[in-house]
Amino acid sequence: MGSTTGFNDDTLKTVWRNAMPKGQGWGVEIYRGARTLKAFSLADGRFALSEVVVTEQQDESGRTGIRSARVDVMQPGEYAESLVRRLSAYEEWVQAEIQRGTGLFGRSRIPEVNGDEQVVLCHPYDSQRWEWVEALVLNAARQAFVRRWRGGHFVAFTTLALDWRGESALVVLPADRAGGVRAITL
């Protein structure tokens, strides 16, 4: 979201309230450079996709874990195209893992999100392999959104958060952050 021109105050509040993933501890060295994607809906029928990166910056007190966000607001058709474009941009090994991980009929092995439920996934965090986790979530969200024969639906997701509380309907945590919640291990 390069410019906020043309967005009403309610939309801007929703975007900035939802753009960042939840949790404390982003300043830990292992998360430096980490990226997370977060999708959420807006009241006017559009969707937002936030890309957040943990920067090398420090605040005036010397605290690390400063995050930078870029938010794109899209119409439903643009959102679907964005998911497909992002999925096709992953490296070959990620593409191969997605193919292997989608089962016999090409369906994601990530459980469907229904109604107000939340699906919490976890995986040991490894900065070199987390894009595989991210791609699995994007693929599941894309499949749910474009499903025609059973009625597609939007799934709010976060590909990396440090706390599940108050997070998206589909959220992935590093395995060491999944204590206290029933999480499905990827």
Side-chain angles (χ1 to χ4, degrees):
M1 192 169 186
S3 170
T4 58
T5 305
F7 293 97
N8 65 39
D9 287 343
D10 289 339
T11 299
L12 290 174
K13 286 178 190 173
T14 300
V15 166
W16 297 123
R17 189 177 327 115
N18 290 289
M20 293 290 186
K22 306 288 189 244
Q24 295 181 356
W26 293 102
V28 176
E29 179 69 29
I30 194 170
Y31 299 121
R32 193 161 294 147
R35 178 178 80 165
T36 179
L37 299 174
K38 187 169 181 176
F40 52 96
S41 60
L42 302 173
D44 63 6
R46 292 181 293 176
F47 302 114
L49 185 60
S50 172
E51 181 175 348
V52 177
V53 176
V54 181
T55 70
E56 303 255 344
Q57 297 174 341
Q58 295 181 0
D59 69 8
E60 58 279 351
S61 301
R63 291 180 294 203
T64 59
I66 306 298
R67 295 170 289 164
S68 171
R70 174 190 162 84
V71 181
D72 293 314
V73 175
M74 301 167 247
Q75 295 295 333
E78 294 171 306
Y79 173 74
E81 290 171 7
S82 175
L83 293 181
V84 169
R85 191 172 46 256
R86 283 179 177 275
L87 279 165
S88 67
Y90 287 105
E91 295 178 43
E92 285 184 35
W93 73 267
V94 174
Q95 301 285 344
E97 289 291 326
I98 295 299
Q99 291 298 323
R100 234 186 321 275
T102 53
L104 183 60
F105 298 105
R107 296 278 322 266
S108 172
R109 292 187 182 167
I110 294 175
E112 287 189 33
V113 178
N114 297 309
D116 292 335
E117 74 178 352
Q118 183 183 45
V119 173
V120 179
L121 307 170
C122 69
H123 189 74
Y125 184 78
D126 176 348
S127 62
Q128 301 300 312
R129 296 204 33 97
W130 198 261
E131 64 184 312
W132 167 76
V133 173
E134 182 179 277
L136 278 177
V137 172
L138 284 178
N139 190 49
R142 181 195 59 81
Q143 287 178 339
F145 192 72
V146 300
R147 191 175 305 122
R148 287 176 174 52
W149 65 93
R150 288 183 35 206
H153 64 281
F154 172 79
V155 174
F157 65 82
T158 306
T159 63
L160 173 62
L162 300 184
D163 195 342
W164 57 273
R165 291 172 284 230
E167 237 337 317
S168 304
L170 177 59
V171 60
V172 187
L173 303 174
D176 65 343
R177 296 294 188 125
V181 65
R182 202 168 107 200
I184 299 165
T185 303
L186 294 174

